[in-house]
Amino acid sequence: MDSIGTNTAPGPGATSPALAPAPGPQAPFAAPDLVTVPARQGLEAVDIIRRGAGQAAPGVGPVLHDGSGDTLGFLVPPGTADAWDLPGSACTQTNGRGMRFGDLAAAPTAGGTGWLLPPDAVGPVTDPEVLRAALGEAARLIEAADNCR
């Protein structure tokens, strides 16, 4: 998950406040944090958030997948890692490490990591509370499905 690019949210002139650089040339911005989860739970969470997005809930933001398909990474607002404590997941401050701006989805990232949902297709980062609720629901659904076997 080494190469994250600039976010250009859908729609003319619209940009994501959490990923877009501040006005002016080469202005600094607040780098997003990254919540990583097992792929199965993450995919369920993406579906849950997308189903609820039309009901006044914010939609899912950019999502990375690792080359092996074991984990998904959700971009969340900076500072989320300071209070993230959901078991089975991790939240890491990116501090802009590995960030590239301008050619978001053009080149594959290092280690086979790539975008499941690229920023230019989905817009702003995922709201941490929405993600937390979706991951909890996903865990319950997976547990129920596994217990039916």
Side-chain angles (χ1 to χ4, degrees):
M1 299 193 189
D2 292 326
S3 182
I4 301 170
T6 279
N7 182 29
T8 1
T15 59
S16 166
L19 290 178
Q26 305 297 322
F29 73 100
D33 288 350
L34 184 71
V35 172
T36 54
V37 297
R40 185 176 177 198
Q41 184 180 14
L43 290 169
E44 286 289 341
V46 166
D47 287 343
I48 291 164
I49 295 170
R50 284 190 151 179
R51 283 194 309 265
Q55 302 164 2
V60 66
V63 179
L64 289 163
H65 64 84
D66 67 358
S68 66
D70 292 337
T71 61
L72 291 184
F74 293 81
L75 294 183
V76 293
T80 300
D82 295 338
W84 190 263
D85 62 353
L86 188 66
S89 68
C91 188
T92 308
Q93 294 175 344
T94 66
N95 297 323
R97 286 187 309 268
M99 299 278 190
R100 286 190 356 229
F101 303 98
D103 61 347
L104 180 57
T109 56
T113 299
W115 291 109
L116 175 67
L117 297 173
D120 60 346
V122 294
V125 295
T126 303
D127 179 278
E129 292 308 312
V130 170
L131 180 58
R132 181 183 300 276
L135 289 172
E137 185 176 340
R140 291 187 294 277
L141 287 170
I142 291 168
E143 181 179 5
D146 288 351
N147 287 336
C148 289
R149 293 183 186 176

